[in-house]
Amino acid sequence: MAHGVNHREIVGQNIRACRTDAGLTLEKLAEKADMSWPYLSEIERGRENISLDKLAALAKALNVTLSRLVEGV
C-alpha cells in the first residue's frame, strides 16, 4: 500500500456515504445489489476485498458512477 493508505477503507467509506445519502439500510442496499448484508457491512468497514463486478453492482444499485465509489483511492 502506498503511503499507508488503505484502499479498502476508502472504498468502504465511499459506499457507506452513498448508501446513507440514498437513505438505504445495509439490508436494502445488499438486496438491491444481490449480496448479503453481512458481506456488505464488512466491505464498508474495509475488512473485505470487493470484486469489480460487485462494485459495479453496488454503483448501479446506488445510482452512482463506479468512479464515485473509488474516489480518493
Side-chain angles (χ1 to χ4, degrees):
M1 262 177 269
H3 303 76
V5 174
N6 187 330
H7 297 110
R8 289 182 305 203
E9 286 181 5
I10 293 168
V11 170
Q13 290 167 3
N14 290 342
I15 293 168
R16 180 178 287 136
C18 290
R19 177 178 62 77
T20 57
D21 287 350
L24 296 171
T25 63
L26 271 169
E27 293 85 356
K28 189 63 180 172
L29 177 57
E31 180 183 315
K32 288 178 73 163
D34 194 30
M35 62 181 65
S36 74
W37 72 262
Y39 176 65
L40 178 56
S41 176
E42 291 296 299
I43 292 166
E44 284 191 357
R45 292 181 173 143
R47 296 179 182 165
E48 281 284 341
N49 281 318
I50 184 170
S51 72
L52 184 55
D53 290 339
K54 291 205 181 285
L55 193 61
L58 281 173
K60 182 177 181 181
L62 288 164
N63 198 32
V64 298
T65 63
L66 188 57
S67 62
R68 169 62 185 96
L69 299 183
V70 295
E71 283 178 0
V73 170

